């Protein structure tokens, strides 16, 4: 069980009485009923790629790990209706391939696609790099099948466009982090496979310039804009240092970079407005340099740089990760002000901000001052430092978790900083559906 008792970042280590790996929804229901009768707590787990310790059991050794990985069948793909029903344990990358095999695409992707499962993606309402155009997991879920805490099977797989029977259980289960139900399968929306895409890597001076470029692209290329990610020089340097077979796209390093992706039916219809918009931005001095991917291979190389940042930063040593959102227009201000605010209180800390600028969501990582024992420093100052980051986010009307969820990592800070009204509602829903508190206790609000 060892690999499944520690989270992907190696921050949380738990114990479990046993790991159970059912192969069917009926087996999951049977397990849940037995656990309800015995008062045994269940920790659901998919690919164990989550970032907040949500799938790691506690240290008691009394909890049961419920791995959904063996439920890995794609039950059906309806190419005409553009939907597919996938079991919880289907790995995202495999799902992408299955959709492509019938000329379709599942428009959600992220760096952990080789591990993350459909059940985990639903349960964390995952985002990724195409949210700008296609939304988070919740927008792509047409139906859900789940086992509820008393052992009943909720069959909500039918892809109903209209359904006003009160509270939407599908939406409640999206982002519930295994605290309300065990997701056993999901019906997911697909779109036509890309006939063409255009990928550009742009060097620029600041997040303000990146936001101004994003606005120009909104006007210039419209709906075709699918991804807009920002990468500071420090993150790109970390990738080039630690990840094999990577190289800088621009001859002259820029303080900031933007990775831009357009997708559509026709190469020319994408390339013409993209090149015109970037040329105008160059002329206006908004951007310093640009590299356009000449083929699929170069597009993938650009994305590899972006997708490897988490891995590269992990290799750089200990850091505190904050996955936060603020209204898009305020993001440059947050990125500029936060390091200064932190440096005043915690001299010497080093910050990087990268990610989904177009969604108002960045990953804000803070490393301890150079030359100190990083782990010891974080143990002493980490909680206060994160509180300072989150307080700033809340001042700007933002969220302390944009896409990774709450898990065990942010449970206490959520309870401290979230509004009383939201906390009351979250706790009431949890108590109503799982009164014995056996589904993923200690996570989110439990
Ligand atoms: C390199 C890398 C990049 C990443 N990039 C992104 C990104 O851009 N955007 C993003 O949103 N996330 C990202 N992630 C985080 C992670 O991939 C997502 O959170 C993903 O949704 C987790 O899926 P999983 O199957 O690994 O879930 P796990 O880690 O196994 O579990 C996550 C949570 O869901 C619960 N859970 C799992 N399966 C079920 C189920 N069947 N029923 C009920 N509850 C369940 C668990 O109890 C836990 O609370 C990244 C991760 C890595 C490693």
């Amino acid at each position: 069980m060892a690999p499944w008792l520690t989270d992907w970042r190696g921050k949380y280590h738990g114990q479990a009485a046993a790991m159970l790996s059912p192969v069917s929804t009926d087996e999951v229901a049977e397990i849940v009923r037995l656990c309800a009768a015995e008062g045994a707590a269940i920790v659901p787990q998919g690919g164990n790629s989550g970032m907040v310790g949500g799938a790691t059991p506690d240290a008691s050794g009394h909890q049961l790990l419920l791995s959904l990985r063996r439920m890995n069948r794609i039950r059906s793909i309806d190419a005409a209706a553009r939907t597919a029903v996938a079991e919880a344990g289907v790995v995202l990358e495999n799902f992408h391939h299955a959709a492509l095999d019938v000329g379709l695409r599942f428009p959600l992707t992220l760096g952990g696609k080789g591990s993350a499962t459909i059940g985990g993606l639903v349960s964390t309402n995952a985002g990724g790099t195409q949210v700008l155009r296609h939304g988070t997991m919740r927008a792509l879920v047409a139906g859900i099948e789940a086992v509820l805490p008393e052992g009943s099977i909720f069959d909500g797989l039918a892809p109903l466009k209209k359904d006003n029977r009160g509270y939407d259980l599908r939406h409640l289960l999206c982002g519930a982090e295994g605290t309300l139900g065990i997701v056993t399968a999901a019906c997911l929306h697909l779109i036509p496979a890309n006939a063409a895409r255009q990928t550009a890597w742009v060097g620029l001076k600041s997040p303000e310039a990146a936001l101004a470029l994003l606005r120009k692209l909104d006007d210039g290329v419209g709906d075709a804009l699918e991804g807009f990610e920002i990468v500071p020089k420090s993150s790109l340097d970390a990738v080039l240092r630690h990840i094999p077979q990577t190289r800088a796209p621009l001859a002259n390093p820029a303080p900031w970079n933007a990775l831009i992706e357009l997708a559509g039916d026709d190469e020319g219809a994408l390339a013409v407005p993209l090149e015109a918009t970037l040329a105008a931005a160059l002329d206006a001095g908004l951007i310093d340099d640009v590299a356009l991917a000449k083929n699929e291979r170069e597009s993938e190389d650009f994305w590899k740089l972006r997708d490897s940042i988490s891995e590269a930063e992990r290799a750089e040593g200990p850091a505190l990760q904050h996955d936060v959102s603020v209204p898009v227009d305020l993001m440059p201000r947050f990125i500029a002000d936060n390091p200064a605010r932190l440096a005043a209180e915690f001299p010497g800390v080093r910050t990087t901000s990268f990610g989904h600028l177009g969604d108002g969501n960045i990953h804000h990582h803070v490393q301890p001052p150079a030359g100190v024992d990083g782990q010891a420093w974080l143990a002493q100052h980490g909680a206060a430092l994160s509180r300072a980051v989150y307080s700033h986010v809340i001042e700007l009307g933002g969220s302390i978790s944009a896409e990774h969820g709450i898990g065990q990592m942010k449970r206490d800070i959520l309870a401290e900083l979230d509004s009383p009204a939201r906390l009351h509602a979250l706790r009431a829903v949890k108590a109503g559906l799982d009164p014995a508190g056996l589904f993923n206790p200690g996570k989110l609000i439990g």
Side-chain angles (χ1 to χ4, degrees):
M1 281 196 288
W4 317 117
L5 297 175
T6 295
D7 73 313
W8 186 82
R9 281 193 170 128
K11 265 191 177 162
Y12 298 98
H13 309 280
Q15 296 295 327
M19 180 162 102
L20 310 173
S21 285
V23 289
S24 69
T25 303
D26 285 339
E27 282 189 9
V28 175
E30 185 73 7
I31 288 169
V32 169
R33 283 194 284 268
L34 279 170
C35 288
E38 298 295 330
I42 299 175
V43 179
Q45 189 179 89
N48 199 23
S49 71
M51 296 289 196
V52 289
T56 311
D58 68 13
S60 69
H62 297 313
Q63 300 185 329
L64 291 166
L65 199 53
L66 183 68
S67 169
L68 279 300
R69 273 172 302 127
R70 286 173 74 213
M71 288 191 65
N72 59 5
R73 276 185 321 130
I74 294 175
R75 291 186 191 161
S76 61
I77 298 191
D78 184 338
R82 293 186 191 153
T83 54
V85 175
E87 290 185 342
V90 172
V91 169
L92 178 61
E93 196 165 29
N94 297 342
F95 190 58
H96 286 159
H97 291 311
L100 276 178
D101 285 347
V102 295
L104 295 172
R105 178 163 76 107
F106 182 58
L108 183 144
T109 192
L110 39 79
K113 67 186 174 195
S115 308
T117 61
I118 296 301
L121 294 160
V122 169
S123 302
T124 57
N125 184 27
T129 47
Q130 295 166 351
V131 171
L132 194 58
R133 185 172 179 189
H134 301 289
T136 59
M137 197 66 183
R138 183 174 274 125
L140 297 168
V141 167
I144 286 185
E145 177 190 89
V147 176
L148 301 180
E150 84 298 357
S152 63
I153 297 173
F154 163 62
D155 180 357
L157 279 178
L160 300 180
K161 202 163 184 171
K162 289 185 154 184
D163 177 13
N164 277 350
R165 289 173 290 172
Y167 314 126
D168 192 331
L169 284 189
R170 293 170 309 175
H171 280 198
L172 268 184
L173 289 163
C174 284
E177 302 185 21
T179 62
L180 300 180
I182 313 290
V183 175
T184 48
C187 179
L188 299 163
H189 291 295
L190 303 172
I191 62 172
N194 275 344
R197 71 165 162 167
Q198 288 281 314
T199 316
W201 188 279
V202 171
L204 23 73
K205 288 191 181 58
S206 64
E208 282 87 357
L211 185 58
L213 176 64
L214 175 65
R215 297 294 181 236
K216 275 200 180 306
L217 286 163
D218 279 341
D219 293 339
V221 303
D223 268 0
L225 183 62
E226 192 158 289
F228 190 96
E229 302 283 307
I230 55 162
V231 179
K233 181 174 180 300
S234 57
S235 297
L236 178 60
D237 289 346
V239 170
L240 299 174
R241 254 194 310 277
H242 296 289
I243 309 293
Q245 287 158 1
T246 51
R247 66 180 186 86
L250 302 174
N252 297 315
W256 288 86
N257 304 270
L259 174 58
I260 299 163
E261 174 128 317
L262 271 56
D265 296 335
D266 175 341
E267 190 103 28
L270 299 177
V272 172
L274 176 64
E275 286 170 24
T277 309
L278 292 178
L282 266 172
D283 287 346
L286 199 56
I287 61 180
D288 298 338
D289 200 359
V290 67
L292 289 169
K294 288 188 282 302
N295 50 41
E296 193 58 22
R297 176 66 203 270
E298 283 190 11
S299 289
E300 287 301 314
D301 287 348
F302 287 179
W303 276 106
K304 184 173 176 182
L305 296 172
R306 162 64 187 94
D307 287 341
S308 306
I309 295 177
S310 293
E311 207 178 322
E313 301 228 321
R314 193 167 65 156
E316 289 278 291
L320 281 177
Q321 291 88 5
H322 309 94
D323 151 49
V324 295
S325 67
V326 298
V328 179
D329 287 341
L330 298 181
M331 188 48 90
R333 191 167 123 201
F334 175 79
I335 294 173
D337 290 355
N338 197 258
R341 281 171 63 138
L342 290 183
E345 214 178 325
F346 307 94
V349 291
R350 295 157 291 160
T351 52
T352 44
S353 300
F354 65 92
H356 323 297
L357 182 79
D359 308 327
N361 166 207
I362 47 138
H363 303 303
H364 186 63
H365 293 186
V366 186
Q367 284 177 281
V372 304
D373 173 342
Q375 295 294 7
W377 193 93
L378 289 178
Q380 195 183 346
H381 301 287
L385 193 147
S386 288
R387 186 173 296 104
V389 173
Y390 294 136
S391 300
H392 191 190
V393 164
I394 288 171
E395 267 172 45
L396 297 178
S399 165
I400 67 165
S401 179
E403 54 176 17
H404 292 158
I406 299 297
Q408 46 184 310
M409 184 169 132
K410 296 185 182 174
R411 188 193 60 172
D412 293 346
I413 197 82
L414 181 85
E416 187 184 325
L417 297 181
D418 212 354
S419 78
R422 257 182 52 82
L423 288 169
H424 170 75
L426 259 55
R427 288 187 181 123
V429 170
K430 170 71 177 172
L433 284 181
D434 182 21
L438 295 180
F439 271 24
N440 218 0
K443 316 291 167 48
L444 184 52
I445 38 160

